[in-house]
């Protein structure tokens, strides 16, 4: 199975404001996206891929002159791969508020003489992202998606598509996701946000205008996030209690254990490319997502509009961020509506990050499900 | 059952240096401690209580004029309580490196013209603490403790007593503890440490000399710690997804959910009284504790010196910081040595913090165990 090869991001400008759930609106904006494969004549083979916290529209393939920068789901998407670009037209789109090209906090704010939005970028929700994605599908002439797929926060967007635009999507594939965040999930997000906001280089969110970057806060946020993406067992298997050197240095300030070295390295990398305001916005979008709340705290009632959609829900046994119980809540709400749903709980050791990895059972399942979708397409 | 009433801390000065595991040593030092009840004529009814990260020698009772400041284990210790001060002579001692009166980073450093130690306070380990406690027992004329008891990090000290001074203690009661930290445990400690160390007010650990306090880092550390002390379910039961106000404010910077408000309040309180260098030292002591390592990574072999000790090991079903599996590792090592051990896994919803709470089954168990110990005492 080959990679899709060299890809090129595209962008689309939207001149009309996007109304947001908060009551505010986003003035004219740009979305960056990539496509792989070919849209068929019936325009019926499009699959939209929604990204999670730390990812972008760059889902598969690599950019010219940068073979290392393969897309974040390149193991899943490409010719002959489970999501086969010989059969499907795949779209990756960067959400507004992000820091990878679509309009976000680092973009010029037309309401402030073109200075960067910074902390003035409006709060965006999963529903707002789905609305923005729907406008893009409209522009691309895609009346109905064959499927929308995502993991974690991306899985929430996939669910929201069926609640807002049920007739414009056939299949929803929601992986390692949840119907809302638990108090503990929100609490972890809040620790990360406080680390960023209380970094003196944050300047109330207008650090760009001060020529500063709240790297300390971003590093702490990333270290913490990373812990919640991995299982306790996989961290033990990979790092255990191994010291960085043969003998302990007995220091509170220096690196002593290998796990510390790994986390600091991840944190340093992250703080070089990720925008702090985007981190705040995306964790807030996670916090706010709660479709049951709009339906009298009844998740089954929330899914009434999705009665004609078909669902694949996938969870991983060692995911303690969004454990299988949370996916089963979604499955129950679907079953209560007699909605067509397949559910798989994959026994995998890697924790939440498993949705990004190439596990044979997991990818076999997705391959089979996409073959089912492909069978519905015109020959 | 009444509280022990008004208590008064005492202090003991040690003029000879304490050799430390790191190879360094602690110059002359003071330990602050409290005692409750009366030492019997045979000097055989003493019970030592070891404190965890955030606690002190103030285990029971309250100080004159401060009825609110009851000791951290006052629900367990007092006349007629499970650890009955009408029968036992109970000692709480503040460990070196702490910030509640015993010599620690805020104390004058004799090697630096009496300026505060700050980051120059030597790294202390669980074994060093136990050595310091043993010297205090020696001064108090207690040749053999009836029991040593502690929860979490305190439980590690209780275990270490049987490994270092097996003949000077009869019973070891180790609650909500572990034979060492997992990679995930170390990782959480490291995030907290990085938050403190990278706070610009930390000044390399010499913030006192700069008239500063790294409060931002301490707050983040405390928020994070607090999450790991509670179970996911108990956070959901107590806070759930409740908003602070009726409608969402849609803000990344302000408090939105009640769990955020609670964590910030806890963090603010903590940052007012806890010393940042102490936080680093105590989390490092947790990281380093690993008795199996000194015995060829064989925990059973580590417990060979404790063959004549008797143990009570207690864990809590929802404790995900030190889950029951970790306590069962200790139990297995003891059983492999045919050591007398009782083990209880308490079904309690409160997570790690359960060891501090007044759960009927838990306190009933401790009461029964202390009655067994009391039965061995002279009438």
């Amino acid at each position: 199975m080959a990679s899709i090869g060299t890809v090129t991001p595209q962008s689309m400008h939207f001149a009309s404001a996007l109304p947001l759930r908060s009551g505010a609106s986003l003035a004219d904006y740009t979305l960056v996206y990539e496509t792989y494969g070919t849209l068929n004549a019936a325009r019926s083979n499009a699959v939209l891929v929604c990204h999670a916290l730390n990812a972008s529209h760059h889902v598969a393939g690599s950019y010219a002159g940068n073979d290392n920068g393969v897309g974040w789901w390149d193991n899943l998407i490409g010719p002959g791969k489970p999501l086969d670009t010989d059969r499907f037209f795949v779209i990756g789109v960067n959400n507004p508020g992000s820091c990878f090209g679509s309009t976000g906090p680092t973009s010029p704010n037309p309401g402030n003489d073109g200075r960067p939005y910074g902390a003035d970028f409006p709060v965006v929700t999963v529903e707002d992202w789905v609305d923005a994605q729907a406008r893009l599908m409209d522009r691309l002439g895609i009346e109905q998606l064959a499927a929308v797929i995502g993991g974690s926060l991306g899985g929430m967007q996939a669910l929201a598509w069926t609640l807002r635009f049920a007739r414009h999507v056939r299949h929803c594939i929601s992986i390692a996701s949840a119907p809302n965040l638990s108090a503990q999930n929100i609490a972890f997000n809040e620790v990360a946000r406080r680390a960023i906001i209380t970094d003196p280089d944050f300047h109330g969110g207008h650090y760009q205008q001060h020529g500063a970057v709240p790297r300390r806060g971003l590093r702490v946020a990333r270290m913490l996030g990373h812990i919640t993406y991995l299982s306790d067992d996989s961290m033990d298997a990979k790092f255990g209690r191994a010291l960085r050197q043969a003998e302990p240095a007995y220091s509170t300030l220096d690196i002593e254990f290998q796990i510390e070295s790994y986390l600091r390295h991840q944190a340093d990398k992250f703080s070089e490319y990720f925008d702090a305001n985007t981190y705040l916005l995306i964790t807030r979008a996670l916090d706010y997502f709660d479709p049951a709340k709009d339906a009298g705290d009844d998740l089954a009632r929330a899914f009434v509009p999705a009665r004609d959609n078909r669902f694949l829900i996938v969870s991983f046994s060692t995911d303690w961020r969004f454990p299988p119980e949370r996916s089963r809540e979604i499955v129950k709400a679907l079953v209560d509506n007699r909605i067509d749903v397949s559910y798989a709980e994959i026994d995998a050791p890697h924790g939440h990050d498993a949705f990004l990895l190439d596990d044979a059972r997991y990818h076999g399942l997705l391959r089979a499900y996409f073959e089912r979708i492909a069978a519905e397409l015109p020959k």
Side-chain angles (χ1 to χ4, degrees), chain A residues 215-251:
Chain A
R215 283 212 181 81
R216 288 171 291 238
L218 275 169
R219 286 194 192 104
V220 167
R222 179 57 170 175
M223 288 173 82
L224 177 54
H226 209 85
I227 297 173
T228 69
Y229 304 152
L230 303 178
S231 71
D232 194 7
D233 284 352
S234 66
M235 283 180 101
D236 271 334
K238 197 165 172 184
F239 305 102
R241 298 181 45 80
L243 294 171
R244 202 187 181 201
Q245 297 179 307
E247 292 300 320
Y250 291 105
S251 165

Side-chain angles (χ1 to χ4, degrees), chain A residues 44 145 163 256 318:
Chain A
S44 62
L145 289 161
L163 305 179
E256 187 71 291
T318 57

Side-chain angles (χ1 to χ4, degrees), chain A residues 1-5 36-37 60 74 76-87 367:
Chain A
M1 293 178 297
S3 168
I4 188 102
Y36 325 110
D74 189 76
L76 185 75
I77 298 164
K81 292 186 180 176
L83 175 41
D84 187 349
T85 50
D86 291 338
R87 297 163 112 177
R367 179 180 292 281

Side-chain angles (χ1 to χ4, degrees), chain A residues 132-169:
Chain A
Q133 292 161 8
R135 284 189 177 185
L136 177 64
M137 295 311 109
D138 202 42
R139 287 278 192 92
L140 295 177
I142 296 162
E143 169 73 15
Q144 189 185 56
L145 289 161
V148 57
I149 180 172
S152 191
L153 176 56
M156 292 175 174
Q157 293 162 58
L159 295 173
W161 260 92
T162 72
L163 305 179
R164 293 179 87 71
F165 302 107
R167 291 187 307 160
H168 297 281
V169 58

Side-chain angles (χ1 to χ4, degrees), chain A residues 48-352:
Chain A
L48 176 66
V49 180
C50 303
H51 71 75
L53 203 160
N54 172 30
S56 73
H57 53 282
H58 185 37
V59 179
S62 51
Y63 296 146
N66 182 7
D67 288 344
N68 292 325
V70 295
W72 56 271
W73 229 348
D74 189 76
N75 62 21
L76 185 75
I77 298 164
K81 292 186 180 176
L83 175 41
D84 187 349
T85 50
D86 291 338
R87 297 163 112 177
F88 291 102
F89 177 65
V90 178
I91 306 145
V93 56
N94 189 218
N95 288 323
S98 180
C99 52
F100 295 115
S102 293
T103 301
T106 60
S107 307
N109 179 357
N112 191 16
D113 291 336
R115 281 191 281 267
Y117 274 104
D120 296 332
F121 195 86
V123 166
V124 280
T125 64
V126 167
E127 290 79 8
D128 300 329
W129 286 335
V130 166
D131 288 356
Q133 292 161 8
R135 284 189 177 185
L136 177 64
M137 295 311 109
D138 202 42
R139 287 278 192 92
L140 295 177
I142 296 162
E143 169 73 15
Q144 189 185 56
L145 289 161
V148 57
I149 180 172
S152 191
L153 176 56
M156 292 175 174
Q157 293 162 58
L159 295 173
W161 260 92
T162 72
L163 305 179
R164 293 179 87 71
F165 302 107
R167 291 187 307 160
H168 297 281
V169 58
R170 294 196 294 281
H171 293 268
C172 167
I173 305 176
S174 181
I175 305 165
S177 193
N180 62 26
L181 295 202
S182 69
Q184 189 190 73
N185 293 147
I186 296 172
F188 278 125
N189 280 348
E190 176 66 1
V191 177
R193 280 191 294 263
R194 295 313 295 168
I196 290 170
I197 290 169
T198 63
D199 183 331
D201 284 328
F202 182 67
H203 294 288
H206 294 289
Y207 41 88
Q208 268 184 288
Q209 292 182 44
H210 288 79
V213 175
R215 283 212 181 81
R216 288 171 291 238
L218 275 169
R219 286 194 192 104
V220 167
R222 179 57 170 175
M223 288 173 82
L224 177 54
H226 209 85
I227 297 173
T228 69
Y229 304 152
L230 303 178
S231 71
D232 194 7
D233 284 352
S234 66
M235 283 180 101
D236 271 334
K238 197 165 172 184
F239 305 102
R241 298 181 45 80
L243 294 171
R244 202 187 181 201
Q245 297 179 307
E247 292 300 320
Y250 291 105
S251 165
T252 54
L253 305 181
D254 298 332
I255 291 178
E256 187 71 291
F257 293 89
Q258 287 185 8
I259 179 66
E260 297 169 356
S261 173
Y262 171 78
L263 287 176
R264 286 201 207 181
H265 176 69
Q266 295 292 330
D268 286 345
K269 274 202 310 185
F270 187 74
S271 73
E272 293 299 318
Y273 71 81
F274 207 85
D275 178 61
N277 284 311
T278 291
Y279 203 91
L280 304 182
L281 287 167
I282 298 192
T283 54
R284 266 299 186 221
L286 277 159
D287 291 354
Y288 286 128
F289 182 68
D290 192 7
K293 196 181 176 191
D294 302 329
D297 282 320
D298 181 343
L299 190 62
R301 224 178 87 196
F303 276 104
V304 167
R307 281 209 162 132
D308 295 323
N309 291 123
R310 282 159 289 171
F311 290 78
L312 173 63
I313 309 292
V314 183
S315 69
F316 298 96
S317 55
T318 57
D319 181 354
W320 63 278
R321 185 182 177 88
F322 295 146
E325 305 89 276
R326 304 309 318 273
S327 279
R328 288 197 295 262
E329 290 176 41
I330 301 167
V331 172
K332 184 181 183 308
L334 296 172
V335 168
D336 285 350
N337 283 300
R338 299 167 176 274
I339 293 172
D340 181 341
V341 54
S342 302
Y343 173 59
E345 196 171 311
I346 308 280
D347 190 9
H350 308 102
H352 188 61

